[in-house]
Amino acid sequence: MTTTLWHERAAALKMDGRAFIDGQRRWAKSAQQFDNFSPVDGRNLGAVARCQSDDVDLAVVAARCAFDDGRWAGLAPAARKRVLIKFADLVLKYGDELALLETLDMGKPIKYSLSVDVNSTANCLRWYGEAIDKIYDEIAPTGSDSLALITREPVGVVAAIVPWNYPMIMAAWKIAPALAAGNSVILKPSEKSPLTALRLAEIALEAGIPAGVFNVLPGYGHEAGAALALHMDVDCIGFTGSTKIGKQILQMAGQSNLKRAWTELGGKSANIVCADCPDLDAAVDAAIGSIYFNQGESCNAPSRLFVEASIKDKFLEKALAMMPNFQPGDPLDETTVMGAIVDATQLKTVMGYIEAGKSEGAKLLSGGEQVKLESGGYYVAPTLFDQVDSGMKIAREEIFGPVLSVLSFTDINDAIREANASSFGLQAAVWTADLSRAIKTARALRAGTVHVNQYDGDDITVPFGGYKQSGNGRDKSLHAFDKYTELKTTWIRIS
Ligand code: NAD
């Protein structure tokens, strides 16, 4: 589609910021709202319901009733499967509209909203739908005078609290396994990107998910989010977001009903390129493509690049040659690969880190400035710092923007030690032609995912999550069912 046509569609798009509770759109009980601004051009996309604890109470009652009467949990897995597959089909049917909402709401290029966000969301819903009627329970190998059944049951009411960087995908990673397992779900999208979540709730209803089973509450984290985390009748919380708020979620779970609390948090992933890297061009492509994808707003972005000193100049020459390809453009132009930073606050954070890099002595080789100011939106040029030291702020803290820190090493053991000297442990990578070195390094790196000679390993079949302060949960794969199900043992005496 042409850029002009996308803009026309954007201008004509109807956005509904009301919450979705018990199958109906409604404003917050207090009637409070907040304005939702687009990072693309700064325009006001409209009012959104500012849900608070009384709205949370309403949604929890609806979700609990729906769970208790078995309208969803009581269906055969094959019946839930059919509905989830229809849900996935409808996501694709409304793909253009969802992609447009995603791009306008959080600034990512329409090209990726369509090809990545919409497709991954549909794929995730379909995969968990397909999986649920193929999982068997267990019978324990006990003695002959009894039978011990080990069964999985849905936990009940699940609250999913998600961030703004992949609003639909992060929601799908939680709601798809939780719904497939038979739970009722309350989704709280980020206040920065609530629109696709709200539209997904309507689509779910159209697909046949009964009213009350899937509710969406937009609002601020310290209001709607905290009310969910503290609620005495929410059984489980699936949280994706910052490490700072993840810690609060665990505290709130402990302070209230000890709900199961799963956290998927921040990262500062290390990408180690050895001099014997089998394909330097591929390593450069992956390092640069992965840090600037989604404007650098990816939890698993390889933001710390360790390059062996003997190849660093060559590596940087190739990397700098790629920079023009990543200049921010109009997110509604299908050729744009880097869009807008989500909002003015995040822009300020990113620019603050760039200033810190400069003042701490790192060498700015590219970018470092805000661009496209005339657009009214928030854009940052792809930024690359060389001569970064592990002690610098830009090497230690998650920036969540298009900023790459380059460090060098001469001994792989030093690179591994520095890579692990981080409070995060989400992902890592090593590039080497030496198989033993690859395996030893992969084993030594303290991260939930380690890539060897690539950085784009990604599939719904494998778990995604971190070590250390990158969180305790795993999204994706069959392992996600562990988060949203209880394990029950039933002893039966055989007389
Ligand atoms: P955030 O922690 O500020 O917010 C995440 C969600 O929590 C939002 O919905 C927010 O409204 C809510 N929230 C905020 N304060 C709350 C509170 N007091 N109580 C309850 N809920 C509250 O994070 P963000 O800025 O939206 O997202 C960026 C972060 O998410 C980054 O750190 C990134 O690495 C992380 N992330 C992690 C993964 C992963 O899978 N590990 C994936 C995507 C993003």
Side-chain angles (χ1 to χ4, degrees):
M1 207 182 299
T2 65
T3 311
T4 314
L5 206 51
W6 278 116
H7 276 280
E8 281 170 15
R9 283 204 178 186
L13 197 63
K14 281 215 170 6
M15 287 164 238
D16 189 344
R18 290 175 298 165
F20 192 91
I21 303 173
D22 208 7
Q24 283 175 16
R25 287 287 205 157
R26 52 177 95 200
W27 289 110
K29 273 189 164 179
S30 67
Q32 287 195 58
Q33 306 175 342
F34 61 91
D35 286 325
N36 182 20
F37 295 96
S38 173
V40 171
D41 53 10
R43 84 176 159 112
N44 189 348
L45 295 172
V48 175
R50 181 172 168 178
C51 293
Q52 306 195 37
S53 61
D54 43 3
D55 305 296
V56 167
D57 288 343
L58 200 65
V60 173
V61 168
R64 176 62 61 194
C65 287
F67 183 71
D68 287 348
D69 71 18
R71 72 187 81 162
W72 179 249
L75 296 183
R80 293 201 296 271
K81 170 176 91 169
R82 281 192 289 277
V83 175
L84 284 169
I85 289 174
K86 175 121 189 259
F87 190 2
D89 289 342
L90 290 176
V91 165
L92 293 179
K93 178 179 163 193
Y94 298 118
D96 282 3
E97 178 199 350
L98 288 166
L100 191 51
L101 285 173
E102 203 79 311
T103 289
L104 294 175
D105 218 4
M106 69 71 64
K108 69 175 68 192
I110 191 76
K111 168 192 174 95
Y112 296 131
S113 295
L114 281 167
S115 63
V116 177
D117 298 70
V118 167
N119 285 338
S120 300
T121 300
N123 184 44
C124 180
L125 291 165
R126 187 182 313 281
W127 194 82
Y128 283 103
E130 287 283 6
I132 196 63
D133 69 345
K134 295 166 188 73
I135 298 169
Y136 290 69
D137 287 324
E138 301 164 39
I139 297 175
T142 56
S144 58
D145 59 348
S146 58
L147 197 60
L149 309 179
I150 304 169
T151 51
R152 289 264 171 204
E153 295 184 349
V155 290
V157 175
V158 172
I161 300 181
V162 295
W164 46 263
N165 60 334
Y166 296 93
M168 264 192 298
I169 297 178
M170 291 303 106
W173 286 4
K174 314 249 180 250
I175 66 174
L179 288 173
N183 297 284
S184 293
V185 177
I186 301 166
L187 170 65
K188 204 223 56 84
S190 168
E191 55 276 26
K192 300 182 185 194
S193 60
L195 296 177
T196 46
L198 291 166
R199 187 69 185 99
L200 281 182
E202 291 175 334
I203 296 172
L205 191 72
E206 185 181 337
I209 293 189
V213 171
F214 179 37
N215 310 276
V216 180
L217 294 181
Y220 291 112
H222 65 282
E223 294 176 346
L228 282 166
L230 285 165
H231 206 286
M232 293 302 287
D233 205 25
V234 169
D235 300 297
C236 169
I237 193 147
F239 175 82
T240 298
S242 61
T243 296
K244 177 179 161 215
I245 304 297
K247 290 180 182 184
Q248 293 179 23
I249 295 286
L250 293 175
Q251 282 175 344
M252 288 188 271
Q255 233 177 295
S256 53
N257 60 344
L258 213 59
K259 55 181 68 64
R260 279 100 184 87
W262 303 108
T263 55
E264 273 90 12
L265 311 175
K268 190 76 192 172
S269 298
N271 184 12
I272 302 174
V273 185
C274 302
D276 69 344
C277 163
D279 183 344
L280 196 60
D281 288 331
V284 175
D285 274 0
I288 298 301
S290 305
I291 181 67
Y292 300 131
F293 183 69
N294 212 42
Q295 302 72 244
E297 297 162 331
S298 296
C299 54
N300 61 339
S303 50
R304 287 185 297 157
L305 174 63
F306 294 86
V307 187
E308 193 156 347
S310 60
I311 59 162
K312 198 180 79 170
D313 288 348
K314 201 161 140 200
F315 192 102
L316 286 179
E317 192 186 317
K318 288 175 184 282
L320 291 174
M322 287 181 70
M323 290 301 173
N325 307 341
F326 290 90
Q327 292 308 312
D330 178 355
L332 291 178
D333 178 337
E334 287 187 9
T335 62
T336 293
V337 295
M338 194 147 93
I341 300 294
V342 71
D343 68 359
T345 309
Q346 186 62 16
L347 173 77
K348 197 167 159 220
T349 301
V350 173
M351 295 311 294
Y353 277 111
I354 291 173
E355 284 315 308
K358 288 188 206 163
S359 66
E360 286 189 326
K363 189 171 175 194
L364 180 66
L365 292 189
S366 183
E369 75 273 325
Q370 192 186 345
V371 293
K372 281 177 69 62
L373 280 110
E374 73 293 348
S375 66
Y378 314 112
Y379 300 84
V380 174
T383 298
L384 192 152
F385 279 108
D386 186 22
Q387 297 175 18
V388 177
D389 180 272
S390 276
M392 291 178 186
K393 224 175 146 182
I394 56 168
R396 285 184 288 110
E397 297 179 17
E398 183 181 42
I399 300 174
F400 226 51
V403 182
L404 178 61
S405 299
V406 182
L407 303 93
S408 67
F409 67 93
T410 47
D411 178 340
I412 181 88
N413 294 313
D414 292 336
I416 294 170
R417 199 168 31 252
E418 287 193 33
N420 284 340
S422 167
S423 56
F424 298 110
L426 192 53
Q427 298 207 347
V430 59
W431 297 74
T432 175
D434 180 332
L435 185 61
S436 296
R437 181 194 284 181
I439 294 170
K440 279 186 195 161
T441 307
R443 284 181 179 161
L445 287 166
R446 304 279 300 152
T449 298
V450 180
H451 305 265
V452 175
N453 296 333
Q454 61 164 42
Y455 202 85
D456 57 357
D458 179 34
D459 199 74
I460 190 70
T461 57
V462 296
F464 186 105
Y467 284 19
K468 301 191 271 183
Q469 293 186 38
S470 288
N472 62 7
R474 292 291 181 275
D475 279 324
K476 301 167 68 179
S477 83
L478 294 180
H479 293 283
F481 282 127
D482 295 342
K483 300 194 295 183
Y484 305 117
T485 52
E486 292 284 15
L487 208 52
K488 177 178 275 182
T489 302
T490 309
W491 281 99
I492 304 168
R493 176 161 305 285
I494 301 170
S495 56

